[in-house]
């Protein structure tokens, strides 16, 4: 689940549109390596859900195998609190549960491959809106059978928080002498990467390339993330006003010097670009998008260290900040306005989304609450916070409060 995936989270989208329930909150918990920490996080997730009087939960996991211990533990602890749940995970043939319990009675498998085995194609086996629709339908059915799907006909609701997005459509990205917007175009300063070479002794070189929508037949190093380009105009993440670009996103890749090691948690995604990414998913570029490709050459060993990978993400965020500065004051550029609401429905069943995300270290971490949407600077590392769960609102999720390190 890339940063872009969380920003465009399909479950958040589906739950926000369902007026039969109240989408109360999102609980973000990190996946730990230590078994006791896995159970501790699961118990805290259940405690939070119980305190918020949650009736049902969708539990979505980023990963499988050892991660399924965190997954089934969370479902178990929710069940002990009499909170009905439905899980969402990659299963297929390869990802069958390594353990289970009596509370794990329904999982929506979002495997998309025909073989049933996980691939190294970014986005291929991503959770989609169709998966989310199935999961919420099953959850409501389970609640209904228990007599806990409350007052479906009741229409009382009120808005708790509002997020406004002004979305500016970029029709072309090209190089220029500086970074600015003009006539539907994003002009990116040529050789922008030179500003950021040498700021980290973990990074040997940086290259930036603009990829056109049809430009996909080339070798690409292992993917480290896809990022939206957005900035806060007013307010904090999850409220106020955000400026966002459509038609363009950022791709981060990298490889180690000398050894040629491709950074990856298990399987790396290097190869011919058109074969290594599934476009038009929530977490990947649209097939019509321009891509600002930031490729890092790590010093030997740094592509397999958390410090090295975080350094690359920090530099990528600084590069995106060059665009954000101009996006903040953009003028005479067409946009569409979208409004998002955190809605309270007092007489409806309260539903939570549980996101179990990476928290293991190296290139497999998750940061929360950055300074800018989808950024990393100023964010807190879940692993450093012992993977204790955070409570966020739907609007905070869609405003980029989660940053993923693949």
């Amino acid at each position: 689940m890339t940063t872009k995936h969380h920003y465009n989270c399909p479950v958040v989208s589906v739950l926000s549109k369902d007026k039969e329930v109240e989408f109360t909150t999102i609980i973000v918990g990190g996946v730990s390596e230590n078994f006791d920490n896995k159970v501790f996080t699961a118990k805290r997730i259940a405690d939070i859900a119980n305190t918020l009087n949650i009736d049902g939960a969708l539990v979505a996991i980023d990963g499988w195998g050892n991660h399924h211990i965190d997954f089934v533990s969370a479902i178990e602890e929710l069940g002990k609190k009499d909170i009905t749940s439905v899980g969402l995970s990659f299963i297929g043939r390869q990802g069958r549960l390594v353990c289970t319990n009596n509370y794990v009675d329904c999982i929506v498998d979002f495997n998309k491959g025909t073989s049933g085995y996980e691939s190294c194609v970014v986005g291929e086996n991503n959770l989609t809106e169709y998966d989310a629709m199935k999961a919420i339908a099953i959850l409501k059915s389970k609640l209904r059978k228990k007599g806990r799907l409350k007052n479906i006909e009741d229409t009382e609701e009120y808005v708790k928080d509002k997020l406004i997005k002004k979305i500016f459509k970029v029709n072309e990205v090209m190089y220029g002498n500086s970074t600015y917007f003009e006539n539907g175009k994003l002009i990116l300063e040529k050789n922008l990467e030179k500003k950021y070479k040498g700021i980290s002794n973990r990074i040997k070189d940086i290259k930036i390339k603009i990829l056109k929508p049809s430009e996909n037949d080339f070798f690409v190093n292992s993917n480290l993330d896809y990022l939206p380009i957005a900035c806060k105009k007013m307010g904090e993440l999850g409220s106020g006003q955000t400026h966002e670009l459509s038609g363009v996103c950022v791709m981060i890749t990298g490889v180690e010097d000398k050894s040629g090691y491709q950074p990856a948690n298990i399987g790396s995604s290097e190869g011919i670009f058109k074969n290594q990414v599934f476009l038009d998913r929530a977490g990947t570029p649209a097939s019509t998008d321009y891509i600002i490709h930031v490729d890092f050459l790590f010093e030997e060993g740094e592509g397999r260290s958390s410090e090295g990978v975080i350094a690359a993400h920090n530099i990528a965020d600084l590069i995106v900040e060059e665009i954000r500065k101009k996006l903040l004051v953009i003028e005479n550029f067409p946009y569409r306005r979208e409004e998002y609401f955190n809605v309270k429905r007092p007489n409806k069943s309260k539903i939570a989304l549980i996101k179990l995300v990476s928290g293991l270290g190296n290139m497999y971490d998750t940061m929360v609450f950055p300074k800018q949407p989808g950024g990393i600077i100023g964010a807190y590392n879940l692993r450093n916070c012992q993977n204790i769960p955070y409570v966020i609102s739907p609007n905070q999720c869609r405003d980029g409060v989660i940053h993923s390190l693949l």
Side-chain angles (χ1 to χ4, degrees):
M1 294 182 184
T2 64
T3 298
K4 195 171 187 293
H5 179 93
H6 290 298
Y7 191 80
N8 298 318
C9 180
V11 185
V12 172
S13 177
V14 171
L15 276 175
S16 296
K17 295 172 185 175
D18 195 320
K19 295 187 177 183
E20 286 190 342
V21 298
E22 178 190 284
F23 182 13
T24 303
T25 195
I26 302 170
I27 304 173
V28 183
V31 169
S32 302
E33 286 197 304
N34 178 279
F35 177 78
D36 289 340
N37 289 344
K38 291 175 182 290
V39 175
F40 182 79
T41 297
K43 288 179 179 292
R44 301 294 75 77
I45 287 171
D47 284 344
I48 292 169
N50 191 51
T51 300
L52 295 174
N53 296 315
I54 298 300
D55 297 293
L58 298 180
V59 183
I61 180 77
D62 181 9
W64 46 275
N66 181 274
H67 297 60
H68 276 154
I69 300 172
D70 307 74
F71 182 61
V72 302
S73 296
I75 292 173
E76 180 179 29
E77 296 302 329
L78 289 166
K80 288 177 181 178
K81 302 288 188 183
D82 200 24
I83 298 171
T84 303
S85 66
V86 171
L88 297 104
S89 175
F90 170 83
I91 302 290
R93 291 183 178 181
Q94 185 180 20
R96 287 173 287 185
L97 298 178
V98 299
C99 60
T100 189
N101 56 64
N102 292 334
Y103 296 97
V104 182
D105 60 1
C106 183
I107 300 174
V108 173
D109 177 8
F110 50 75
N111 166 61
K112 305 294 187 298
T114 56
S115 70
Y117 288 83
E118 181 63 282
S119 74
C120 293
V121 178
V122 182
E124 181 178 29
N125 289 314
N126 272 184
L127 192 165
T128 64
E129 284 202 5
Y130 183 65
D131 300 317
M133 289 168 64
K134 286 193 291 186
I136 187 60
I138 294 169
L139 180 60
K140 289 195 294 186
S141 177
K142 291 176 73 173
L143 289 170
R144 190 176 291 110
K145 287 179 180 178
K146 289 185 175 182
R148 294 181 180 176
L149 195 62
K150 303 173 184 175
N151 299 329
I152 294 177
E153 300 301 323
D154 195 312
T155 58
E156 182 184 355
E157 66 178 36
Y158 63 91
V159 174
K160 185 174 177 60
D161 299 294
K162 181 171 75 170
L163 169 66
I164 299 169
K165 285 189 177 184
K166 287 187 175 182
I167 303 174
F168 300 83
K169 177 67 168 67
V170 170
N171 299 315
E172 185 178 359
V173 183
M174 57 190 297
Y175 292 114
N177 294 326
S178 61
T179 299
Y180 62 97
F181 294 94
E182 183 179 70
N183 299 326
K185 298 177 183 179
L186 165 59
I187 315 300
L188 190 67
E189 181 180 343
K190 191 174 183 179
N191 300 320
L192 177 60
E193 62 268 34
K194 288 184 177 179
K195 291 184 178 181
Y196 302 102
K197 287 182 180 180
I199 70 171
S200 171
N201 59 12
R202 303 177 188 277
I203 306 296
K204 185 170 184 177
D205 198 13
I206 311 165
K207 293 181 180 178
I208 298 177
K209 185 177 181 181
I210 297 170
L211 305 177
K212 298 178 181 179
S214 59
E215 192 174 356
N216 55 23
D217 193 10
F218 65 97
F219 180 85
V220 64
N221 286 315
S222 190
N223 190 279
L224 300 178
D225 202 9
Y226 283 107
L227 304 170
I229 302 176
C231 68
K232 290 307 299 181
K233 178 69 173 178
M234 293 185 293
E236 297 185 353
L237 294 179
S239 62
Q241 183 173 305
T242 295
H243 284 187
E244 176 186 325
L245 293 183
S246 67
V248 59
C249 72
V250 174
M251 175 173 71
I252 311 174
T253 62
V255 65
E256 277 189 9
D257 190 28
K258 297 181 181 179
S259 68
Y261 176 83
Q262 296 281 346
N265 181 46
I266 297 177
S268 55
S269 60
E270 78 279 0
I272 302 303
F273 178 71
K274 64 182 179 182
N275 299 328
Q276 294 305 123
V277 60
F278 200 105
L279 299 174
D280 299 310
R281 296 281 199 218
T284 62
S287 54
T288 55
D289 277 354
Y290 280 79
I291 299 173
I292 299 173
H293 179 197
V294 185
D295 188 45
F296 291 94
L297 182 63
F298 292 94
E299 293 287 359
E300 179 69 12
E302 294 298 343
R304 57 197 104 174
S305 76
S306 58
E307 294 82 4
V309 173
I310 289 171
H313 279 252
N314 273 313
I315 292 171
D317 201 14
L318 289 172
I319 291 169
V320 175
E321 187 66 19
E322 297 279 347
I323 304 172
R324 293 191 191 112
K325 290 175 184 177
K326 304 301 179 180
L327 181 58
L328 184 65
V329 294
I330 193 169
E331 294 180 348
N332 303 318
F333 206 95
Y335 68 88
R336 72 178 189 273
R337 176 188 171 103
E338 294 186 356
E339 295 183 349
Y340 301 92
F341 306 96
N342 293 326
V343 178
K344 294 295 182 183
R345 299 186 177 99
N347 299 314
K348 299 292 179 70
S349 299
K350 297 182 183 295
I351 305 299
L353 168 60
I354 315 297
K355 281 180 173 281
L356 297 174
V357 297
S358 53
L360 298 179
N362 290 354
M363 67 298 298
Y364 200 61
D365 268 327
T366 303
M367 305 286 202
V368 291
F369 295 102
K371 291 184 177 180
Q372 291 285 2
I376 189 173
I377 295 171
Y380 291 82
N381 191 323
L382 282 181
R383 174 171 49 88
N384 293 343
C385 299
Q386 306 300 313
N387 286 313
I388 293 175
Y390 279 76
V391 177
I392 68 173
S393 71
N395 274 353
Q396 285 178 319
C397 185
R398 59 168 56 98
D399 206 20
V401 82
I402 303 174
H403 183 98
S404 176
L405 292 89
L406 296 185

